[in-house]
Amino acid sequence: MSAFVVEYARMSDNLIQRIERIGQQLAKATRIACLTGAGISAESGVATFRDANGLWNGFRIEEVATPEAFTQDPQRVWSFYAARRQALLAARPNPGHHALARMKQLCPEFTLITQNVDGLHQQAGSHDLICLHGDIWIDRCNACGWQRRAQQVVETVPTCPACSRHVRPGVVWFGEILPQDALERAIQKCCSAQIMLVVGTSSLVHPAASLATWARQAGAALIEINLEPTPLTDIADESLQGSASNILSALVDSWPQT
Ligand code: OAD
């Protein structure tokens, strides 16, 4: 965590005032839900998907992130995820991940939901988070259900010790359904939240992106944190533009009890 510096000096006075006001609002709430996307891990050096240097600018989704791609060329798909695992070995949680773990301690009912598969929220101490898109460190066999937590990065697609079929990473691919229990819990928590935070996601991938809309329709105040506007910005009550780690740290710092 010491490698990261929270840059309050770069924030405008207007942004600091808004953060302080929202911090007070958050401190009064008893039920907060938060959805995160790749942007929260960007400052840990993890590539996002749709930004200028994002993964989907260098790879075609249909070649590396669909069940059909895995059937057609398991090694190509495995290599894509092995490279991502390798990159993650050097990644550490940043102040944004830590601020959300702290919010969990401050709010009576704080539910963290992530689209990320990188494990950085867990490393920051958010253990009971809802993972909508799986976990990249799980090795799984689709044929028989065998699975284990990967201990190291393996370059060659492994075979299942139980049934000899190819093992895949435990992420949700395009065209697959999300884990039912995770999605149901996320919907329930978002639709009963008083405030919903949406952090570092382009809000383009559904159903995750719909959670914020459903929360808003159910009466939650919607607060977005992102470097740039997204399709959600127009319906958000507050759109805080800037770095997720800076803004989340400042929000926790402005919590009256801290
Ligand atoms: P995207 O790459 O689509 O969006 C990342 C968002 O983070 C963008 O809106 C950026 O503006 C924002 N961002 C980048 N750096 C930031 C920072 N330091 N602070 C704040 N915001 C920042 O990633 P996701 O929305 O997470 O799914 O993508 C959603 C899903 O699409 C992923 O879970 C993955 C992907 O395909 C699957 O693989 C199934």
Side-chain angles (χ1 to χ4, degrees), residues 37-39 42-43 48-51 56 115-116 133 172-174 200-203 205 225-228 230 242-244:
E43 289 162 85
T48 61
F49 295 94
R50 296 172 184 81
D51 292 314
W56 298 153
Q115 298 165 87
N116 299 346
H133 291 169
V172 176
W173 284 326
F174 285 86
T201 174
S202 57
S203 289
V205 176
I225 300 170
N226 201 302
L227 290 180
E228 58 189 22
T230 74
S243 129

Side-chain angles (χ1 to χ4, degrees), residues 58-123:
F59 295 90
R60 286 163 55 86
I61 287 174
E62 53 274 27
E63 287 181 358
V64 294
T66 64
E68 295 77 19
F70 190 65
T71 304
Q72 194 183 31
D73 192 341
Q75 183 58 53
R76 180 175 58 200
V77 173
W78 184 265
S79 296
F80 172 74
Y81 287 96
R84 290 183 63 197
R85 283 181 177 180
Q86 188 64 43
L88 283 174
L89 291 178
R92 297 289 172 268
N94 65 54
H97 297 104
H98 288 290
L100 291 175
R102 181 98 181 94
M103 279 189 200
K104 167 87 184 167
Q105 294 166 346
L106 294 171
C107 173
E109 194 179 320
F110 183 85
T111 306
L112 184 56
I113 304 156
T114 191
Q115 298 165 87
N116 299 346
V117 297
D118 55 30
L120 293 179
H121 280 304
Q122 295 93 322
Q123 281 186 43

Side-chain angles (χ1 to χ4, degrees), residues 8-180:
Y8 293 98
R10 287 204 182 172
M11 292 183 191
S12 68
D13 287 348
N14 175 272
L15 181 59
I16 291 172
Q17 280 166 14
R18 288 171 69 206
I19 288 171
E20 278 170 6
R21 183 168 40 77
I22 294 167
Q24 312 239 334
Q25 209 182 325
L26 287 167
K28 284 189 204 135
T30 52
R31 295 184 308 281
I32 300 172
C34 175
L35 173 71
T36 64
I40 194 167
S41 294
E43 289 162 85
S44 294
V46 181
T48 61
F49 295 94
R50 296 172 184 81
D51 292 314
N53 294 319
L55 286 169
W56 298 153
N57 280 326
F59 295 90
R60 286 163 55 86
I61 287 174
E62 53 274 27
E63 287 181 358
V64 294
T66 64
E68 295 77 19
F70 190 65
T71 304
Q72 194 183 31
D73 192 341
Q75 183 58 53
R76 180 175 58 200
V77 173
W78 184 265
S79 296
F80 172 74
Y81 287 96
R84 290 183 63 197
R85 283 181 177 180
Q86 188 64 43
L88 283 174
L89 291 178
R92 297 289 172 268
N94 65 54
H97 297 104
H98 288 290
L100 291 175
R102 181 98 181 94
M103 279 189 200
K104 167 87 184 167
Q105 294 166 346
L106 294 171
C107 173
E109 194 179 320
F110 183 85
T111 306
L112 184 56
I113 304 156
T114 191
Q115 298 165 87
N116 299 346
V117 297
D118 55 30
L120 293 179
H121 280 304
Q122 295 93 322
Q123 281 186 43
S126 295
H127 296 297
D128 59 350
L129 84 164
I130 300 176
C131 294
L132 290 178
H133 291 169
D135 179 341
I136 197 172
W137 291 104
I138 296 289
D139 289 341
R140 196 175 81 218
C141 173
N142 258 7
C144 73
W146 173 90
Q147 69 172 44
R148 71 172 169 207
R149 178 153 284 276
Q151 301 298 337
Q152 55 191 352
V153 179
V154 176
E155 299 296 337
T156 305
V157 57
T159 49
C160 173
C163 73
S164 301
R165 304 285 282 276
H166 284 125
V167 165
R168 59 169 286 177
V171 301
V172 176
W173 284 326
F174 285 86
E176 293 186 315
I177 53 166
L178 273 56
Q180 196 63 21

